[in-house]
Amino acid sequence: MNFRVVIIGAGLSGLACAHGLARLGAEVAVYERDPSPTARPQGYRIQLDPPGLIGLRQCLPPEVLQLCLATAGTPLAPPRVLDHRLRPITEQAGAPAAYNRQTQAYPFHRATLREILLSTLPAAVDFGRECTGFDEHGDGRITVRFSDGHTDTADLLVGADGVGSAVRAALLPHARVDDAGLRLIYGLVPLPDRNLLPDWVFETMFTVATGPERTHIGLGPVLFDHSRTTAITDRPTPVADYLATMVGARIDHPAMPPFPELRRLDSRALAELARRLIGDSWHPDLYRILDHWDTTTLFPLRISTAAPVQPWSGSAVTLLGDAIHAMSPVLAMGANTALRDAGELTTAIATARTTGRRLNDAVTDYQRRMLAYAQPLVTASQRVGRARVGQH
Protein backbone atom coordinates (compact mmCIF):
# COMPACT_ATOMS: atom_id res chain seq x y z
CA MET A 1 0.00 0.00 0.00
CA ASN A 2 1.89 3.05 -1.26
CA PHE A 3 0.07 6.23 -0.29
CA ARG A 4 0.57 9.94 0.31
CA VAL A 5 -0.55 11.66 3.51
CA VAL A 6 -1.00 15.34 4.27
CA ILE A 7 -0.99 16.22 7.98
CA ILE A 8 -2.20 19.66 9.05
CA GLY A 9 -0.60 20.72 12.33
CA ALA A 10 2.93 20.23 13.65
CA GLY A 11 2.11 19.73 17.30
CA LEU A 12 3.11 16.58 19.15
CA SER A 13 0.33 14.35 17.81
CA GLY A 14 0.71 15.50 14.21
CA LEU A 15 4.47 14.94 14.29
CA ALA A 16 4.14 11.55 16.01
CA CYS A 17 1.60 10.51 13.40
CA ALA A 18 3.94 11.67 10.63
CA HIS A 19 6.69 9.45 12.04
CA GLY A 20 4.33 6.49 12.31
CA LEU A 21 2.96 6.71 8.79
CA ALA A 22 6.41 7.37 7.32
CA ARG A 23 7.58 4.12 8.93
CA LEU A 24 4.78 2.36 7.04
CA GLY A 25 6.21 3.67 3.77
CA ALA A 26 3.83 6.58 3.26
CA GLU A 27 4.98 9.79 1.63
CA VAL A 28 4.15 12.32 4.37
CA ALA A 29 3.83 16.10 4.09
CA VAL A 30 3.27 18.15 7.27
CA TYR A 31 1.94 21.71 7.10
CA GLU A 32 1.84 24.17 9.99
CA ARG A 33 0.14 27.57 10.13
CA ASP A 34 2.75 29.12 12.45
CA PRO A 35 5.63 30.74 10.56
CA SER A 36 8.26 28.91 12.64
CA PRO A 37 8.53 26.34 15.45
CA THR A 38 8.99 29.13 18.02
CA ALA A 39 6.43 31.63 16.71
CA ARG A 40 4.20 31.32 19.78
CA PRO A 41 4.32 29.75 23.26
CA GLN A 42 3.90 25.98 23.12
CA GLY A 43 3.64 25.39 26.84
CA TYR A 44 6.12 23.82 29.22
CA ARG A 45 5.41 20.68 31.21
CA ILE A 46 3.26 17.84 29.94
CA GLN A 47 2.56 14.61 31.79
CA LEU A 48 2.60 11.37 29.84
CA ASP A 49 0.93 8.26 31.25
CA PRO A 50 0.78 4.83 29.57
CA PRO A 51 -1.70 5.91 26.82
CA GLY A 52 0.63 8.66 25.59
CA LEU A 53 3.79 6.61 26.03
CA ILE A 54 2.29 3.67 24.15
CA GLY A 55 1.21 6.03 21.38
CA LEU A 56 4.79 7.27 21.02
CA ARG A 57 6.05 3.68 20.97
CA GLN A 58 3.61 2.76 18.19
CA CYS A 59 4.74 5.70 16.05
CA LEU A 60 8.42 6.37 16.57
CA PRO A 61 11.55 4.58 15.38
CA PRO A 62 13.19 2.91 18.41
CA GLU A 63 16.14 5.30 18.48
CA VAL A 64 13.83 8.35 18.44
CA LEU A 65 11.66 6.86 21.18
CA GLN A 66 14.72 6.23 23.35
CA LEU A 67 15.85 9.83 22.89
CA CYS A 68 12.42 11.07 23.96
CA LEU A 69 12.40 8.83 27.04
CA ALA A 70 15.93 9.89 27.97
CA THR A 71 14.73 13.49 28.24
CA ALA A 72 11.82 12.71 30.58
CA GLY A 73 11.72 14.15 34.05
CA THR A 74 11.77 12.10 37.24
CA PRO A 75 8.46 10.36 38.06
CA LEU A 76 6.89 11.41 41.34
CA ALA A 77 3.89 10.44 43.46
CA PRO A 78 0.36 10.84 41.99
CA PRO A 79 -1.26 14.30 41.85
CA ARG A 80 -3.09 15.78 44.84
CA VAL A 81 -5.75 18.43 45.42
CA LEU A 82 -5.52 20.91 48.31
CA ASP A 83 -7.43 23.98 49.40
CA HIS A 84 -5.86 27.42 49.41
CA ARG A 85 -4.52 26.83 52.92
CA LEU A 86 -2.83 23.59 51.76
CA ARG A 87 -5.34 21.29 53.46
CA PRO A 88 -6.23 18.07 51.54
CA ILE A 89 -9.53 17.99 49.67
CA THR A 90 -11.53 14.81 49.12
CA GLU A 91 -13.19 15.10 45.73
CA GLN A 92 -16.62 13.67 44.96
CA ALA A 93 -16.37 13.90 41.17
CA GLY A 94 -14.78 10.69 39.96
CA ALA A 95 -12.69 9.99 36.90
CA PRO A 96 -13.62 7.11 34.58
CA ALA A 97 -12.64 3.58 35.60
CA ALA A 98 -9.95 3.45 32.90
CA TYR A 99 -8.23 6.48 34.43
CA ASN A 100 -5.60 5.13 36.81
CA ARG A 101 -3.11 7.46 38.46
CA GLN A 102 -1.39 4.54 40.23
CA THR A 103 0.50 3.74 37.03
CA GLN A 104 3.84 5.35 36.34
CA ALA A 105 3.69 8.80 34.74
CA TYR A 106 6.52 11.04 33.59
CA PRO A 107 6.80 14.80 33.13
CA PHE A 108 8.28 15.97 29.84
CA HIS A 109 9.27 19.38 28.57
CA ARG A 110 6.92 19.92 25.63
CA ALA A 111 9.41 21.95 23.58
CA THR A 112 12.05 19.23 23.95
CA LEU A 113 9.70 16.53 22.71
CA ARG A 114 8.70 18.71 19.78
CA GLU A 115 12.32 19.52 18.98
CA ILE A 116 13.14 15.80 18.83
CA LEU A 117 10.13 14.95 16.67
CA LEU A 118 10.87 17.81 14.27
CA SER A 119 14.59 17.12 13.93
CA THR A 120 14.17 13.39 13.30
CA LEU A 121 11.25 13.58 10.86
CA PRO A 122 12.24 12.26 7.41
CA ALA A 123 10.79 15.34 5.65
CA ALA A 124 10.84 18.98 6.69
CA VAL A 125 7.66 20.62 7.98
CA ASP A 126 6.28 23.35 5.73
CA PHE A 127 5.73 26.26 8.13
CA GLY A 128 3.63 29.33 7.37
CA ARG A 129 0.91 27.42 5.51
CA GLU A 130 -2.65 27.93 6.74
CA CYS A 131 -5.15 25.29 5.65
CA THR A 132 -8.50 26.72 4.55
CA GLY A 133 -10.30 23.55 3.46
CA PHE A 134 -10.21 20.59 1.15
CA ASP A 135 -11.95 19.03 -1.84
CA GLU A 136 -12.79 15.33 -2.19
CA HIS A 137 -12.48 13.73 -5.62
CA GLY A 138 -14.31 10.84 -7.19
CA ASP A 139 -11.27 8.60 -6.95
CA GLY A 140 -11.18 9.09 -3.17
CA ARG A 141 -8.19 11.44 -3.15
CA ILE A 142 -8.18 14.78 -1.34
CA THR A 143 -6.89 18.16 -2.48
CA VAL A 144 -5.98 20.41 0.44
CA ARG A 145 -6.26 24.19 0.00
CA PHE A 146 -4.15 26.84 1.71
CA SER A 147 -4.63 30.56 2.24
CA ASP A 148 -1.74 31.49 -0.06
CA GLY A 149 -3.18 29.54 -3.00
CA HIS A 150 -0.97 26.49 -2.51
CA THR A 151 -2.62 23.07 -2.87
CA ASP A 152 -1.54 19.50 -2.18
CA THR A 153 -3.24 16.25 -3.11
CA ALA A 154 -3.08 13.09 -1.01
CA ASP A 155 -4.71 9.75 -0.33
CA LEU A 156 -5.26 10.71 3.31
CA LEU A 157 -5.69 14.05 5.09
CA VAL A 158 -5.11 14.15 8.86
CA GLY A 159 -6.31 17.18 10.79
CA ALA A 160 -4.07 17.62 13.84
CA ASP A 161 -4.61 21.36 13.85
CA GLY A 162 -5.97 21.92 17.34
CA VAL A 163 -9.04 23.54 18.82
CA GLY A 164 -9.56 25.88 15.87
CA SER A 165 -9.16 23.07 13.34
CA ALA A 166 -9.87 24.09 9.75
CA VAL A 167 -10.06 20.40 8.82
CA ARG A 168 -12.76 19.75 11.43
CA ALA A 169 -14.73 22.81 10.30
CA ALA A 170 -14.86 21.43 6.76
CA LEU A 171 -15.32 17.75 7.66
CA LEU A 172 -17.74 18.05 10.61
CA PRO A 173 -19.20 21.56 10.51
CA HIS A 174 -21.71 20.58 13.21
CA ALA A 175 -18.96 19.60 15.70
CA ARG A 176 -18.91 22.17 18.48
CA VAL A 177 -16.04 23.30 20.69
CA ASP A 178 -17.21 25.29 23.71
CA ASP A 179 -15.48 27.80 25.93
CA ALA A 180 -14.99 26.05 29.29
CA GLY A 181 -15.19 29.38 31.09
CA LEU A 182 -11.66 29.17 32.48
CA ARG A 183 -8.52 31.22 31.87
CA LEU A 184 -4.99 30.33 32.93
CA ILE A 185 -1.83 32.37 33.35
CA TYR A 186 0.93 29.87 32.71
CA GLY A 187 4.67 30.11 33.32
CA LEU A 188 7.53 28.55 35.20
CA VAL A 189 9.70 28.94 38.26
CA PRO A 190 13.37 28.16 37.55
CA LEU A 191 15.01 25.86 40.10
CA PRO A 192 18.69 26.70 40.38
CA ASP A 193 18.31 25.61 44.00
CA ARG A 194 15.39 23.51 45.29
CA ASN A 195 15.84 25.08 48.73
CA LEU A 196 14.21 28.20 47.30
CA LEU A 197 10.83 26.45 47.57
CA PRO A 198 9.04 24.39 50.24
CA ASP A 199 9.85 20.66 50.27
CA TRP A 200 6.22 19.62 49.74
CA VAL A 201 6.28 21.06 46.21
CA PHE A 202 8.55 18.22 45.07
CA GLU A 203 6.62 15.33 46.61
CA THR A 204 4.01 14.79 43.88
CA MET A 205 3.65 14.91 40.12
CA PHE A 206 1.20 17.81 40.32
CA THR A 207 -0.52 19.84 43.02
CA VAL A 208 -3.73 21.82 42.57
CA ALA A 209 -4.63 24.33 45.28
CA THR A 210 -8.19 25.65 44.99
CA GLY A 211 -9.38 28.78 46.77
CA PRO A 212 -12.23 31.28 46.98
CA GLU A 213 -14.29 31.79 43.81
CA ARG A 214 -12.70 28.59 42.38
CA THR A 215 -9.45 30.41 41.71
CA HIS A 216 -6.67 27.83 41.61
CA ILE A 217 -2.92 27.40 41.45
CA GLY A 218 -1.32 24.43 39.69
CA LEU A 219 2.24 23.30 40.40
CA GLY A 220 4.12 20.66 38.41
CA PRO A 221 7.82 20.00 39.14
CA VAL A 222 10.01 18.92 36.20
CA LEU A 223 13.23 17.47 37.60
CA PHE A 224 15.68 15.95 35.13
CA ASP A 225 18.29 13.24 35.51
CA HIS A 226 20.81 14.91 33.22
CA SER A 227 23.16 11.92 33.37
CA ARG A 228 20.77 10.10 31.03
CA THR A 229 21.31 12.56 28.17
CA THR A 230 25.02 13.39 28.45
CA ALA A 231 26.06 10.38 26.33
CA ILE A 232 23.50 11.05 23.58
CA THR A 233 24.82 12.34 20.27
CA ASP A 234 22.87 15.30 18.87
CA ARG A 235 20.91 15.62 22.09
CA PRO A 236 18.22 18.33 22.20
CA THR A 237 18.65 21.78 23.70
CA PRO A 238 19.35 21.36 27.44
CA VAL A 239 16.62 22.42 29.84
CA ALA A 240 17.19 23.10 33.54
CA ASP A 241 14.87 21.89 36.30
CA TYR A 242 11.78 24.03 36.78
CA LEU A 243 8.36 24.20 38.39
CA ALA A 244 5.50 24.66 35.93
CA THR A 245 3.23 27.16 37.65
CA MET A 246 -0.20 28.34 36.66
CA VAL A 247 -2.88 30.54 38.15
CA GLY A 248 -6.42 29.96 36.89
CA ALA A 249 -9.81 31.56 37.39
CA ARG A 250 -13.32 31.59 35.99
CA ILE A 251 -14.22 34.17 33.39
CA ASP A 252 -16.72 35.73 35.81
CA HIS A 253 -14.04 36.51 38.39
CA PRO A 254 -14.25 40.27 38.99
CA ALA A 255 -10.57 40.78 38.14
CA MET A 256 -10.56 38.68 34.96
CA PRO A 257 -10.58 40.74 31.73
CA PRO A 258 -12.08 39.50 28.45
CA PHE A 259 -9.72 37.13 26.63
CA PRO A 260 -8.74 39.55 23.83
CA GLU A 261 -7.63 42.02 26.51
CA LEU A 262 -5.91 39.25 28.49
CA ARG A 263 -3.87 38.31 25.43
CA ARG A 264 -2.63 41.88 25.05
CA LEU A 265 -1.19 42.06 28.58
CA ASP A 266 2.58 41.97 28.86
CA SER A 267 4.33 39.55 31.19
CA ARG A 268 4.54 41.97 34.11
CA ALA A 269 0.83 42.80 33.83
CA LEU A 270 0.00 39.07 33.73
CA ALA A 271 1.94 38.52 36.96
CA GLU A 272 0.13 41.42 38.61
CA LEU A 273 -3.23 40.05 37.44
CA ALA A 274 -2.41 36.62 38.89
CA ARG A 275 -1.82 38.20 42.29
CA ARG A 276 -5.14 40.06 42.10
CA LEU A 277 -6.94 36.86 41.13
CA ILE A 278 -5.77 34.92 44.19
CA GLY A 279 -6.20 37.73 46.71
CA ASP A 280 -4.61 37.72 50.15
CA SER A 281 -5.96 34.69 52.03
CA TRP A 282 -3.78 31.89 50.63
CA HIS A 283 -1.05 29.95 52.43
CA PRO A 284 2.24 31.89 52.62
CA ASP A 285 4.08 29.09 50.74
CA LEU A 286 2.02 29.81 47.63
CA TYR A 287 2.94 33.50 47.62
CA ARG A 288 6.56 32.46 48.15
CA ILE A 289 6.38 30.29 45.03
CA LEU A 290 4.89 33.08 42.92
CA ASP A 291 7.63 35.42 44.14
CA HIS A 292 10.05 33.22 42.16
CA TRP A 293 7.96 33.13 38.97
CA ASP A 294 10.00 34.00 35.87
CA THR A 295 7.54 36.57 34.58
CA THR A 296 9.14 36.57 31.12
CA THR A 297 7.74 33.05 30.63
CA LEU A 298 4.10 33.96 31.28
CA PHE A 299 1.33 33.65 28.72
CA PRO A 300 -2.48 33.29 28.95
CA LEU A 301 -4.57 30.29 27.93
CA ARG A 302 -8.28 29.89 27.20
CA ILE A 303 -9.62 26.44 28.09
CA SER A 304 -12.01 24.73 25.66
CA THR A 305 -14.04 21.54 25.72
CA ALA A 306 -15.47 19.61 22.78
CA ALA A 307 -19.12 18.62 22.57
CA PRO A 308 -19.78 14.93 21.78
CA VAL A 309 -20.03 13.88 18.15
CA GLN A 310 -21.48 10.75 16.63
CA PRO A 311 -19.22 8.37 14.70
CA TRP A 312 -18.98 9.33 11.04
CA SER A 313 -18.33 7.19 8.02
CA GLY A 314 -14.73 6.69 7.03
CA SER A 315 -13.35 8.76 4.21
CA ALA A 316 -9.91 9.96 3.29
CA VAL A 317 -10.07 12.67 5.99
CA THR A 318 -9.72 12.18 9.75
CA LEU A 319 -8.83 14.06 12.95
CA LEU A 320 -6.45 13.76 15.90
CA GLY A 321 -6.20 15.33 19.34
CA ASP A 322 -7.75 18.69 20.16
CA ALA A 323 -9.11 18.93 16.64
CA ILE A 324 -11.78 16.39 17.64
CA HIS A 325 -11.76 15.94 21.44
CA ALA A 326 -10.46 19.09 23.17
CA MET A 327 -10.72 18.69 26.92
CA SER A 328 -9.90 20.73 29.99
CA PRO A 329 -6.54 19.91 31.60
CA VAL A 330 -7.79 18.77 35.01
CA LEU A 331 -7.11 15.07 34.29
CA ALA A 332 -3.89 15.76 32.35
CA MET A 333 -5.14 13.52 29.54
CA GLY A 334 -5.21 15.88 26.53
CA ALA A 335 -1.68 15.18 25.27
CA ASN A 336 -1.93 11.53 26.30
CA THR A 337 -5.07 11.04 24.28
CA ALA A 338 -3.73 12.91 21.26
CA LEU A 339 -0.61 10.73 21.17
CA ARG A 340 -2.76 7.65 21.62
CA ASP A 341 -4.72 8.82 18.57
CA ALA A 342 -1.52 8.95 16.51
CA GLY A 343 -0.61 5.43 17.60
CA GLU A 344 -4.11 4.06 17.00
CA LEU A 345 -4.29 5.54 13.49
CA THR A 346 -0.83 4.21 12.63
CA THR A 347 -1.75 0.76 13.93
CA ALA A 348 -5.08 0.70 12.07
CA ILE A 349 -3.37 1.54 8.78
CA ALA A 350 -0.59 -0.98 9.43
CA THR A 351 -3.22 -3.68 10.02
CA ALA A 352 -5.01 -2.72 6.81
CA ARG A 353 -1.75 -3.12 4.89
CA THR A 354 -1.29 -6.69 6.11
CA THR A 355 -4.92 -7.73 5.61
CA GLY A 356 -5.53 -6.04 2.27
CA ARG A 357 -8.30 -3.79 3.58
CA ARG A 358 -8.95 -0.36 2.11
CA LEU A 359 -7.41 2.76 3.62
CA ASN A 360 -10.89 4.19 4.28
CA ASP A 361 -11.82 1.06 6.27
CA ALA A 362 -8.74 1.56 8.45
CA VAL A 363 -9.75 5.18 9.04
CA THR A 364 -13.28 4.05 10.02
CA ASP A 365 -11.86 1.56 12.52
CA TYR A 366 -9.61 4.23 14.02
CA GLN A 367 -12.43 6.77 14.35
CA ARG A 368 -14.76 4.31 16.08
CA ARG A 369 -12.06 3.34 18.61
CA MET A 370 -10.93 6.93 19.11
CA LEU A 371 -14.39 8.23 19.96
CA ALA A 372 -14.97 5.30 22.32
CA TYR A 373 -11.96 6.12 24.49
CA ALA A 374 -11.71 9.89 24.02
CA GLN A 375 -15.27 11.10 24.56
CA PRO A 376 -15.60 9.59 28.07
CA LEU A 377 -12.40 11.44 28.99
CA VAL A 378 -13.81 14.72 27.67
CA THR A 379 -16.94 14.16 29.76
CA ALA A 380 -14.95 13.20 32.84
CA SER A 381 -12.65 16.20 32.47
CA GLN A 382 -15.68 18.45 32.31
CA ARG A 383 -17.28 16.80 35.35
CA VAL A 384 -14.12 16.98 37.48
CA GLY A 385 -13.40 20.49 36.19
CA ARG A 386 -16.83 21.67 37.31
CA ALA A 387 -16.34 20.21 40.79
CA ARG A 388 -12.72 21.30 41.23
CA VAL A 389 -12.37 24.67 39.49
CA GLY A 390 -15.87 25.66 38.38
CA GLN A 391 -15.54 25.18 34.63
CA HIS A 392 -18.67 25.37 32.47
Side-chain angles (χ1 to χ4, degrees):
M1 183 195 298
N2 296 318
F3 60 106
R4 177 172 172 78
V5 180
V6 166
I7 297 175
I8 305 299
L12 295 181
S13 63
L15 293 172
C17 186
H19 275 276
L21 298 183
R23 292 181 72 200
L24 298 181
E27 179 186 356
V28 180
V30 181
Y31 293 93
E32 167 59 50
R33 178 181 59 186
D34 290 346
S36 74
T38 58
R40 61 185 172 89
Q42 298 292 321
Y44 304 112
R45 173 196 177 277
I46 62 168
Q47 178 177 314
L48 294 188
D49 298 78
L53 296 170
I54 291 170
L56 284 178
R57 187 170 293 112
Q58 290 170 319
C59 293
L60 301 184
E63 65 277 9
V64 178
L65 175 65
Q66 289 308 309
L67 179 55
C68 290
L69 296 178
T71 65
T74 303
L76 298 170
R80 63 186 162 195
V81 182
L82 309 173
D83 71 9
H84 66 301
R85 301 299 299 175
L86 301 185
R87 296 170 296 208
I89 294 175
T90 300
E91 291 189 304
Q92 301 300 315
Y99 176 89
N100 180 6
R101 275 289 180 252
Q102 301 307 311
T103 57
Q104 196 71 282
Y106 294 83
F108 287 81
H109 187 57
R110 180 185 289 270
T112 298
L113 273 184
R114 192 172 186 231
E115 179 183 344
I116 294 169
L117 297 183
L118 280 168
S119 65
T120 56
L121 195 64
V125 174
D126 195 344
F127 284 94
R129 299 277 196 187
E130 181 177 4
C131 174
T132 57
F134 60 84
D135 300 306
E136 299 185 68
H137 304 295
D139 62 359
R141 303 196 82 204
I142 302 294
T143 294
V144 188
R145 293 179 272 107
F146 297 87
S147 60
D148 60 1
H150 179 74
T151 62
D152 197 347
T153 299
D155 301 289
L156 175 65
L157 169 61
V158 179
D161 47 343
V163 172
S165 172
V167 180
R168 183 193 66 245
L171 177 67
L172 303 173
H174 59 282
R176 199 177 74 248
V177 179
D178 298 324
D179 188 335
L182 297 176
R183 305 291 183 260
L184 296 181
I185 299 172
Y186 188 23
L188 57 84
V189 172
L191 294 175
D193 181 356
R194 293 189 199 176
N195 292 327
L196 291 172
L197 302 183
D199 289 342
W200 62 262
V201 170
F202 308 106
E203 295 173 354
T204 61
M205 180 71 71
F206 199 82
T207 299
V208 177
T210 303
E213 301 183 76
R214 302 297 180 88
T215 303
H216 51 284
I217 296 176
L219 306 169
V222 184
L223 311 174
F224 298 103
D225 179 358
H226 295 283
S227 65
R228 289 185 297 177
T229 57
T230 53
I232 297 173
T233 303
D234 298 326
R235 59 183 181 272
T237 305
V239 178
D241 294 350
Y242 65 88
L243 179 69
T245 308
M246 58 206 74
V247 172
R250 290 166 50 98
I251 58 174
D252 59 2
H253 190 290
M256 181 63 72
F259 192 63
E261 181 180 338
L262 183 64
R263 290 183 63 184
R264 289 194 294 268
L265 297 180
D266 61 24
S267 57
R268 182 175 178 178
L270 286 171
E272 292 171 352
L273 172 60
R275 284 302 188 100
R276 291 199 301 275
L277 289 170
I278 62 174
D280 57 8
S281 64
W282 293 59
H283 192 283
D285 280 0
L286 296 168
Y287 297 110
R288 177 180 166 193
I289 291 167
L290 292 182
D291 284 342
H292 292 285
W293 227 354
D294 178 357
T295 58
T296 67
T297 67
L298 302 187
F299 64 93
L301 287 171
R302 174 174 52 195
I303 305 304
S304 301
T305 185
V309 296
Q310 294 299 312
W312 67 96
S313 58
S315 66
V317 185
T318 195
L319 299 164
L320 300 180
D322 284 352
I324 182 60
H325 50 64
M327 63 186 79
S328 67
V330 292
L331 296 183
M333 289 304 290
N336 279 286
T337 310
L339 290 172
R340 179 177 179 178
D341 294 347
E344 294 279 358
L345 180 59
T346 297
T347 300
I349 293 175
T351 301
R353 290 186 72 196
T354 60
T355 59
R357 299 184 72 206
R358 296 184 313 143
L359 182 62
N360 285 12
D361 294 332
V363 171
T364 298
D365 290 344
Y366 154 72
Q367 290 169 173
R368 182 172 57 250
R369 286 177 55 81
M370 176 268 293
L371 292 176
Y373 62 71
Q375 292 199 149
L377 285 170
V378 176
T379 301
S381 294
Q382 188 174 45
R383 182 174 63 248
V384 175
R386 284 171 174 162
R388 185 183 296 175
V389 293
Q391 83 168 72
H392 291 171

